[in-house]
Amino acid sequence: MTNEQKLWKEIFEKLEIMMSSPTVDTWLSKLVPIAVRDNSLVLQCHNESAKRVMTTKFINKIKQAASDCNSFIKDFIFITEDESSEYKEKNQENSLATIDTYFNPNYTFDSFVVGSCNEFVTASAVHTAEKPGELFNPLFIYGGVGLGKTHLLHAIGNRVLELNPNARILYTTTENFLNDFLSMIRTASLRENAKEAFRKKYRELDYLLIDDIQFLQGKSETQEALFHIFNELHSSGKQIVITSDRSVNDNLNLEARLVSRFSWGLMADIQPPSIETRIAILQRKAFEYHININDDVIRYIAEKNTVSIRTLEGMLKTVIFYQKLNAYRTIDQLSLAKEALKNYADEGEEKLTSETILNKVCSYFNISRDMIISKKRNKELVEPRQIAMYLITDLLPLVPLTTIGTLFGDRDHSTIIHARDKIADLIEKNEGFRAQVVEIKNKILNN
Ligand code: ADP
Ligand code: MG
């Protein structure tokens, strides 16, 4: 099995549980994994209309499945068979010098909510996409985690390709750039054209978009490589856009000459959004998920003490999921949202940990911690153990499966996946069982 087949298999198995079988048979089972691009999986659809259905109707479910698997795949690119042959040929022609022109179709300027926190940076980004190399070169975007830097880079990419489908534009994470550089160095002695291919890839561009430049700190050789690329692109009027989680005056430890180049252009920051902007963003996301959600719930989430929009989105998703799980209860949406977000601690509040969840499950079933993590396989232990595993993956989606495995007496992550899926399945099929799990969950959340 190829890498992309393996990745897809895992996500597909999840989708089989989440979605109805006619949907799976008609649409999802026909997708063919073609390649992996950064954090995206390229899937081939059987025709143009299937592609449209995927990008409009199923994309969120598929992403959800990927995130449920804790897959590093965060996004999906859908192509038709025609595009795929083109894609494969391109891949073979110049394997190292491939230009990645795929951008996340959800990250556009249209889907980017503008407020006073990001007005200036957005206008600069639009200008850069439409009039490259003119005014703001480079455009240096900085701001905290989850405030929309990556979104803006993709929006630039989408806009550029909309205006000129043949533009040579490359989006790269700094990490990828580093890997690319290192693999070039490694193979340079073996492959004559490795250096040339690297050069070609980065220097024959119209646009170079580099995300999270702070990861280049301490990598002096790679900084030097970037310095030369920068000079070449800049002097021929090609547009460069860089993002960073901090400003050059604030602990961005890169070589002085590189930093001085960055200040040639425009430095634009993204500030944390105001309450009004947060509300607008949440409304936009709810709209994108095709979910109806009360305004007071949106406001409640927006007022939570978080800075990152990614976290806000996470809370929104948690609320949506929790509503589904508790659909049978007669309780208003707002109270339900409050319950659901109990574990998103405001600053200063105590945080929920996997340890706490494990202990709560133990006390619910009245069994000891040693027993629940032991290797014993009697039914009185297996089910509580699996419920505990499930609840940890459910309530703390960011905890890696392998870490959970370690907590449960060094078990393999596949055991956790198995437990999680099995409990999810039981919840769906058995009303009584579901009520029990919800009860335990409430005990944990209400602490
Ligand atoms: P960063 O790269 O700065 O860490 P991202 O670009 O990954 O942040 O943004 C995190 C999430 O927040 C993404 O899903 C993105 O779509 C969303 N987001 C951030 N800012 C906005 C905005 N102004 N309007 C709509 N969505 C936004
Ligand atoms: Mg980012």
Side-chain angles (χ1 to χ4, degrees):
M1 236 197 269
T2 62
N3 198 15
E4 53 271 12
Q5 283 168 340
K6 272 189 230 143
L7 288 163
W8 177 236
K9 181 168 175 281
E10 199 186 331
I11 298 167
F12 183 79
E13 281 170 356
K14 190 86 213 167
L15 284 161
E16 279 185 302
I17 299 172
M18 289 163 55
M19 308 189 57
S20 72
S21 31
T23 309
V24 172
D25 291 346
T26 317
W27 299 106
L28 302 173
S29 64
K30 297 202 174 112
L31 295 168
V32 184
I34 300 288
V36 178
R37 292 262 163 167
D38 295 336
N39 291 326
S40 301
L41 185 61
V42 182
L43 295 171
Q44 181 190 309
C45 312
H46 58 283
N47 60 28
E48 192 62 50
S49 91
K51 174 177 160 181
R52 215 166 28 245
V53 172
M54 288 304 148
T55 47
T56 54
K57 204 161 176 280
F58 292 132
I59 178 76
N60 287 327
K61 275 270 188 312
I62 299 177
K63 277 193 195 168
Q64 164 91 53
S67 104
D68 287 357
C69 304
N70 284 336
S71 172
F72 77 92
I73 295 293
K74 299 278 177 270
D75 210 348
F76 295 85
I77 295 159
F78 298 100
I79 55 177
T80 59
E81 205 174 338
D82 294 349
E83 290 164 332
S84 102
S85 53
E86 200 177 296
Y87 183 94
K88 285 177 194 157
E89 272 165 29
K90 215 185 199 169
N91 249 357
Q92 280 163 2
E93 253 171 47
N94 39 10
S95 55
L96 227 175
T98 317
I99 297 238
D100 196 342
T101 49
Y102 290 94
F103 289 97
N104 185 333
N106 297 322
Y107 288 177
T108 60
F109 286 122
D110 287 341
S111 66
F112 197 72
V113 175
V114 179
S116 56
C117 56
N118 57 21
E119 215 170 358
F120 179 66
V121 72
T122 310
S124 315
V126 171
H127 184 95
T128 300
E130 294 177 352
K131 304 215 161 59
E134 270 189 11
L135 263 183
F136 312 139
N137 203 13
L139 172 60
F140 186 93
I141 299 173
Y142 65 96
V145 171
L147 294 184
K149 300 182 296 294
T150 300
H151 188 134
L152 278 176
L153 287 188
H154 282 261
I156 293 176
N158 283 317
R159 177 64 58 86
V160 166
L161 290 178
E162 210 175 283
L163 298 170
N164 173 12
N166 297 319
R168 295 180 58 88
I169 179 164
L170 176 76
Y171 164 89
T172 180
T173 59
T174 295
E175 202 184 355
N176 261 320
F177 179 73
L178 254 164
N179 290 340
D180 222 11
F181 177 73
L182 293 178
S183 91
M184 184 273 283
I185 296 286
R186 257 200 318 275
T187 54
S189 57
L190 308 168
R191 289 181 47 200
E192 250 178 74
N193 64 348
K195 253 191 170 133
E196 191 47 35
F198 181 82
R199 240 184 99 91
K200 221 169 126 86
K201 174 170 176 180
Y202 289 99
R203 299 195 188 185
E204 293 183 2
L205 291 170
D206 301 320
Y207 289 81
L208 175 60
L209 315 177
I210 304 188
D211 210 356
D212 287 322
I213 198 80
Q214 73 275 3
F215 291 127
L216 221 52
Q217 294 181 120
K219 315 278 195 261
S220 61
E221 272 181 81
T222 322
Q223 286 184 38
E224 182 173 348
L226 179 62
F227 177 75
H228 293 300
I229 291 166
F230 184 101
N231 288 341
E232 204 154 326
L233 290 176
H234 193 274
S235 64
S236 42
K238 308 301 190 186
Q239 181 69 48
I240 301 153
V241 186
I242 298 160
T243 74
S244 168
D245 72 351
R246 63 201 76 169
S247 83
V248 292
N249 304 320
D250 180 23
N251 278 330
L252 184 64
N253 277 319
L254 297 175
E255 281 182 28
R257 57 179 182 169
L258 199 53
V259 171
S260 91
R261 294 296 187 279
F262 293 166
S263 14
W264 283 355
L266 180 76
M267 306 236 173
D269 67 327
I270 310 189
Q271 290 293 327
S274 65
I275 287 284
E276 286 67 32
T277 308
R278 291 148 75 95
I279 290 176
I281 291 171
L282 286 168
Q283 280 167 339
R284 167 84 209 184
K285 299 290 174 188
F287 164 80
E288 281 170 19
Y289 306 145
H290 308 285
I291 293 288
N292 277 323
I293 198 152
N294 292 351
D295 284 349
D296 51 349
V297 174
I298 295 266
R299 177 165 277 276
Y300 174 72
I301 300 172
E303 281 171 354
K304 280 254 153 189
N305 197 359
T306 45
V307 175
S308 158
I309 294 170
R310 191 178 295 121
T311 311
L312 273 187
E313 254 188 284
M315 291 197 277
L316 180 65
K317 283 185 193 154
T318 303
V319 168
I320 293 169
F321 184 68
Y322 201 73
Q323 281 182 356
K324 253 169 74 181
L325 204 63
N326 289 275
Y328 66 97
R329 284 165 66 192
T330 46
I331 176 170
D332 64 288
Q333 267 200 20
L334 183 61
S335 311
L336 209 53
K338 285 183 182 167
E339 247 182 67
L341 296 181
K342 260 270 156 95
N343 60 324
Y344 280 90
D346 277 351
E347 250 156 67
E349 265 178 49
E350 211 188 305
K351 263 187 128 174
L352 186 70
T353 65
S354 27
E355 200 67 45
T356 329
I357 299 175
L358 182 59
N359 291 337
K360 290 269 175 177
V361 174
C362 285
S363 70
Y364 181 89
F365 290 104
N366 202 13
I367 46 184
S368 73
R369 191 177 186 283
D370 286 348
M371 289 308 265
I372 204 169
I373 66 173
S374 72
K375 298 276 181 302
K376 295 210 171 77
R377 307 240 359 118
N378 12 346
K379 186 166 189 302
E380 306 81 62
L381 293 176
V382 171
E383 200 166 275
R385 184 181 296 144
Q386 291 183 330
I387 290 177
M389 291 172 177
Y390 166 85
L391 285 171
I392 295 173
T393 60
D394 179 43
L395 293 169
L396 301 170
L398 297 180
V399 176
L401 293 170
T402 46
T403 310
I404 306 176
T406 311
L407 177 68
F408 284 85
D410 271 332
R411 286 181 155 86
D412 192 66
H413 75 277
S414 61
T415 309
I416 311 297
I417 295 181
H418 173 76
R420 184 195 61 192
D421 293 353
K422 191 170 153 215
I423 299 300
D425 198 39
L426 279 173
I427 288 176
E428 200 151 286
K429 292 193 178 125
N430 181 335
E431 193 51 47
F433 184 80
R434 165 174 145 137
Q436 187 186 27
V437 173
V438 170
E439 189 190 338
I440 302 171
K441 195 164 164 174
N442 287 340
K443 281 208 156 61
I444 293 168
L445 294 174
N446 294 325
N447 210 5

